[in-house]
Amino acid sequence: VLAVLALVWVTHRPVFAVKSIKVEGDLAHNSVLTIRANAAPKLAGTFFTLDLAEGRRAFEAVPWVRQAVVKRVWPNRLAVQLEEHRAVALWADANLAGESSDQLVNSHGEVFEANLGDVEDEALPTLRGPQGSSARMLAMLLRLRPELALMDARIDTLELSGRGSWRALLDTGAEIELGRGTDDEVIARTRRFVGTLPEVKRSYPQHPLLYADLRHSDGYAVRLKGISTT
C-alpha cells in the first residue's frame, strides 16, 4: 500500500508535467498555434495522469477538427495526429425550413458545425433532408452528378422529403422531381430522362428546361421556358 501511495504521489509531481505537444496532420483551416491555444487549457494532469480520452475530446472540440489521436511520448510530451473535416456540401435540416445554419457535410457524410466564412469553395451544393439522412444524401449526390453533367447542369440543391421523395434544383434554374424508390430506381429514371431529353429539345432548341417530373411510371413531363399548353 505504501508503495502504491508513493507511486501515486510521484506521478503527480510537477516534474512530470507535459512540457510540449507535437501536432501533426493535414491542416487547412487551423494552424498548430491555434489548435494548441484552444485545446491545451482543457488538458489536466501530468504525463502519467492525463486522461487521453479527455485529451482527444479537447482537440476534437476545436473547429474543423474531425478526429484526433493523442499519445504519450516519454518523458514529457504528447503527440497528436489530427484529421480535419473536408466540406463537400452545405446542410439544411428539412424540419427547419427557412432557418439559416452553419452546418456542413464532410466527405464521410457527417454533419458538422463551422464558420461558413472559412469555406473556400463558394459553389458547394446544399443538401436538405431529414435529420440523420446526410450520409445517404451525399451518396445520392455523388451518383446523380455525372448523370446530370451530361445536360451541362450542376446540382445546386438536393432535397429529400420526410416521405422519401427526391428533388434536385440545378444551376440552370431547372427543377427536377426525381420521385421515390430505391436509389437505383431513382438513378435509372434520371438516366432515362437525360438520355431522351435531347429528342424533346430538338423540337424546341431555343427553350430552356424549367421543370421535369419523373414520378410517372411510363414517362415524364417537362415544362420549357416560353412554351405553353394553352
Side-chain angles (χ1 to χ4, degrees):
V1 172
L2 290 176
V4 171
L5 291 175
L7 181 61
V8 171
W9 182 84
V10 169
T11 57
H12 283 76
R13 294 304 88 202
V15 69
F16 291 113
V18 175
K19 295 293 196 303
S20 67
I21 303 173
K22 183 180 181 181
V23 178
E24 295 180 328
D26 187 10
L27 304 178
H29 297 91
N30 287 295
S31 69
V32 173
L33 292 178
T34 58
I35 288 174
R36 284 178 181 154
N38 279 275
K42 301 176 183 177
L43 303 178
T46 67
F47 177 82
F48 293 104
T49 63
L50 176 69
D51 187 328
L52 293 183
E54 288 291 338
R56 174 178 55 79
R57 285 189 284 271
F59 283 98
E60 290 178 351
V62 177
W64 286 96
V65 174
R66 175 180 180 264
Q67 193 173 62
V69 178
V70 183
K71 296 180 179 179
R72 296 183 177 90
V73 179
W74 178 262
N76 53 16
R77 293 190 299 126
L78 289 181
V80 183
Q81 184 70 36
L82 297 181
E83 177 193 350
E84 282 194 331
H85 293 284
R86 184 169 68 85
V88 295
L90 305 174
W91 175 254
D93 193 318
N95 297 321
L96 302 175
E99 295 187 23
S100 60
S101 171
D102 288 341
Q103 292 185 314
L104 296 151
V105 179
N106 67 19
S107 55
H108 298 272
E110 301 162 343
V111 176
F112 68 101
E113 291 190 6
N115 181 2
L116 298 187
D118 294 337
V119 179
E120 297 175 357
D121 188 353
E122 297 181 356
L124 287 181
T126 296
L127 300 179
R128 177 177 288 110
Q131 197 171 32
S133 64
S134 57
R136 182 189 175 193
M137 294 196 70
L138 177 60
M140 177 63 84
L141 174 70
L142 297 178
R143 294 186 66 181
L144 284 171
R145 267 179 174 167
E147 303 295 339
L148 296 175
L150 299 175
M151 296 171 49
D152 294 323
R154 180 178 57 81
I155 298 175
D156 264 352
T157 302
L158 181 63
E159 299 180 352
L160 176 63
S161 73
R163 300 182 65 183
S165 185
W166 294 91
R167 180 169 68 152
L169 308 180
L170 308 184
D171 62 340
T172 60
E175 176 184 333
I176 302 179
E177 293 284 359
L178 300 166
R180 290 188 284 180
T182 67
D183 292 0
D184 287 342
E185 288 171 342
V186 172
I187 293 298
R189 285 199 299 270
T190 303
R191 189 169 295 156
R192 235 178 1 249
F193 164 70
V194 173
T196 56
L197 184 63
E199 299 176 26
V200 178
K201 295 288 290 178
R202 272 195 288 271
S203 301
Y204 307 96
Q206 305 303 319
H207 300 275
L209 176 71
L210 292 179
Y211 176 82
D213 188 346
L214 314 189
R215 295 173 295 180
H216 306 279
S217 60
D218 55 355
Y220 56 82
V222 296
R223 185 164 67 243
L224 304 178
K225 186 175 182 180
I227 301 295
S228 171
T229 56
T230 59

